[in-house]
């Protein structure tokens, strides 16, 4: 694992531990800064939701679709380099963390059904 990038290292450590340890939280925070901290907070607040069609992260102002590591937020669209694994928005980081610790709120319905209710 020595040749892995820092993102792969914290992801592997998280998969192995199955929980957010202080060391892993430190690694995520060091690699991703404030985005990492916000992602950890979102996981702790149960704001990662999986539906039949999408995974959603409930943000401060809206809900964001996260698919294949990409996100519909403006940060992803305008500020981040998609080719740099250390540059991820906090929504996609939250999904990566939540999946590895089994903290995704699953809903057996289509997200479009939920949006119709809002």
């Amino acid at each position: 694992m020595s040749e892995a990038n820092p993102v792969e290292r914290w992801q592997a450590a998280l998969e192995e531990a199955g929980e957010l340890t202080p060391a892993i939280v430190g690694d995520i925070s060091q690699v991703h800064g404030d985005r990492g901290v916000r992602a950890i907070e979102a996981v702790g607040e149960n704001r990662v939701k999986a539906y039949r069609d999408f995974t959603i992260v409930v943000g401060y102002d809206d809900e964001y679709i996260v698919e294949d590591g990409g996100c519909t937020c403006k940060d992803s669209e305008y500020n981040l380099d998609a080719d740099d694994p250390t540059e991820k928005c906090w929504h996609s980081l939250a999904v990566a963390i939540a999946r590895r610790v089994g903290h995704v709120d699953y809903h057996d319905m289509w997200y479009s059904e939920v949006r119709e209710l809002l």
Side-chain angles (χ1 to χ4, degrees), residues 73-94:
C73 74
K74 299 292 183 197
D75 195 24
S76 286
E77 186 175 352
Y78 296 113
N79 300 328
L80 304 175
D81 179 358
D83 296 327
D84 183 347
T86 64
E87 289 196 12
K88 296 287 184 191
C89 70
W90 69 267
H91 312 105
S92 60
L93 291 170

Side-chain angles (χ1 to χ4, degrees), residues 39-112:
I40 292 166
E41 289 171 355
V43 172
E45 294 169 358
N46 205 31
R47 292 191 280 139
V48 178
K49 317 246 180 235
Y51 296 89
R52 290 179 186 166
D53 47 356
F54 298 116
T55 300
I56 303 298
V57 176
V58 179
Y60 300 112
D61 299 320
D62 203 353
E63 294 183 347
Y64 301 95
I65 298 171
V66 177
E67 285 187 292
D68 301 322
C71 182
T72 59
C73 74
K74 299 292 183 197
D75 195 24
S76 286
E77 186 175 352
Y78 296 113
N79 300 328
L80 304 175
D81 179 358
D83 296 327
D84 183 347
T86 64
E87 289 196 12
K88 296 287 184 191
C89 70
W90 69 267
H91 312 105
S92 60
L93 291 170
V95 170
I97 294 166
R99 286 182 177 158
R100 285 173 174 80
V101 297
H103 207 296
V104 177
D105 185 16
Y106 289 100
H107 298 273
D108 188 21
M109 59 191 308
W110 301 100
Y111 181 64
S112 58

